[in-house]
Amino acid sequence: MPDHLEAPLSVWLTGQRYPFVQSRAAGYVPGTETDTERIPPAVAAHAIATYTRPGDLVLDPDCGTGTVLTEALRAGRHALGLTTNNRWWSLARANVTAAKSAGAWRDGSVLDARPKVLATARAAGLTGRVGLVLTAMRTVSDRPNSPNHDPVELARTLRCCEPLLRTGGHVVVVARPHRHSDGSLADLTTQVIAAGTAAGLTPVDRCVALTAELRGGRLITRAALAERRAARATASPTSLVAHHEVLVFQFAHDAELAAAAVCGADAFNLLDEMAGRRCDLAA
């Protein structure tokens, strides 16, 4: 975590405005909303402000229509996104261009490529430079309207991103809640944690990014009409979803250092101990 920032709150007030109002105020191009699994602009902006500094590089390996890239540019960060969806690539490029035209930081790119390109020589110059990997957990590509996800594919994606992450950097995965056909919520948290762990990362935080407005002591849901109708159609009472799950990861040694700092331990002594353990194992 950047040393000039306080410990992040676990509940993010990111639903105070409707998503379409967020997009309109930020100058997103029409059609951005067709990516229904995009990270809402307010959620992306909050994650970027919390886990990066101005000038950092933000990577979204499955960027959709480019909300993460746009918010990174608007916040004075560099941005790189990947997608293989031709329509989303066009929209993401248009959003990046619009952000640049509005005076945002001018180093932003969208590649028509799969995440595995990050593990090739093309991305060699980015090794150790990414301050934040911020991406959404998406449904499987051949069933876009189903609540099925592929944690194995997410793990592959994160594994491709891992060499690019700088020391102290973070990986943040945002999961939009989905329901099974019986109305029960899918356990996406366990799937995301398993994917991050399989990619060699350590979970360090779990947050809630509100998609509902907090008004006084009440949550005012922003649920879409289709979700409201589905909730009314279930046999048992069903709550409307009011948040996205946010899972935060780091390298294991970065997580240890962060925990030591919170406890008041000497980070340099901890590094020496870790180096000694590595030497013992090598011996």
Side-chain angles (χ1 to χ4, degrees):
M1 184 190 313
D3 52 16
H4 69 290
L5 296 175
E6 298 179 356
L9 297 175
S10 59
V11 177
W12 301 356
L13 298 182
T14 48
Q16 298 303 97
R17 296 189 299 174
Y18 281 96
F20 78 87
V21 175
Q22 298 175 26
S23 297
R24 183 174 59 188
Y28 283 88
V29 300
T32 301
E33 69 286 349
T34 58
D35 177 11
T36 58
E37 294 186 310
R38 69 193 183 282
I39 298 178
V43 176
H46 187 98
I48 291 164
T50 301
Y51 295 109
T52 67
R53 298 183 179 95
D56 276 351
L57 173 59
V58 177
L59 167 66
D60 186 347
D62 194 359
C63 69
T65 52
T67 53
V68 168
L69 312 181
T70 303
E71 294 306 318
L73 293 171
R74 283 163 48 85
R77 278 68 166 168
H78 304 283
L80 174 64
L82 287 76
T83 181
T84 56
N85 183 304
N86 289 334
R87 183 161 188 249
W88 290 351
W89 178 79
S90 297
L91 289 167
R93 286 198 64 187
N95 281 322
V96 165
T97 299
K100 292 177 179 180
S101 298
W105 195 290
R106 296 190 175 275
D107 189 0
S109 301
V110 189
L111 303 182
D112 180 7
R114 297 184 182 277
K116 64 182 181 182
V117 76
L118 300 173
T120 68
R122 287 182 62 187
L126 298 177
T127 301
R129 290 184 52 200
V130 173
L132 174 64
V133 176
L134 175 58
T135 196
M137 186 181 192
R138 296 176 177 271
T139 51
V140 289
S141 58
D142 59 337
R143 286 169 289 173
N145 297 317
S146 76
N148 296 305
H149 298 77
D150 188 353
V152 175
E153 184 61 31
L154 178 61
R156 291 195 190 102
T157 296
L158 297 182
R159 196 175 295 116
C160 292
C161 298
E162 187 262 353
L164 277 58
L165 196 66
R166 64 165 169 78
T167 298
H170 291 80
V171 174
V172 176
V173 180
V174 178
R176 181 171 64 94
H178 285 273
R179 294 189 184 276
H180 295 295
S181 56
D182 62 0
S184 62
L185 281 172
D187 181 11
L188 300 184
T189 300
T190 299
Q191 296 182 38
V192 174
I193 291 176
T197 302
L201 300 166
T202 297
V204 296
D205 207 355
R206 176 185 177 185
C207 303
V208 167
L210 292 180
T211 55
E213 177 188 355
L214 182 62
R215 188 181 300 170
R218 298 177 56 221
L219 282 177
I220 311 300
T221 184
R222 305 293 197 193
L225 181 60
E227 184 181 345
R228 294 175 185 273
R229 287 174 174 170
R232 287 196 295 267
T234 57
S236 57
T238 301
S239 298
L240 295 172
V241 173
H243 70 281
H244 287 0
E245 290 280 349
V246 181
L247 284 303
V248 185
F249 301 87
Q250 282 188 293
F251 291 132
H253 66 275
D254 289 337
E256 288 191 51
L257 287 175
V262 171
C263 296
D266 187 337
F268 292 103
N269 289 340
L270 181 57
L271 278 173
D272 289 339
E273 292 176 10
M274 292 168 62
R277 288 202 298 270
R278 287 195 293 270
C279 290
D280 292 342
L281 288 173

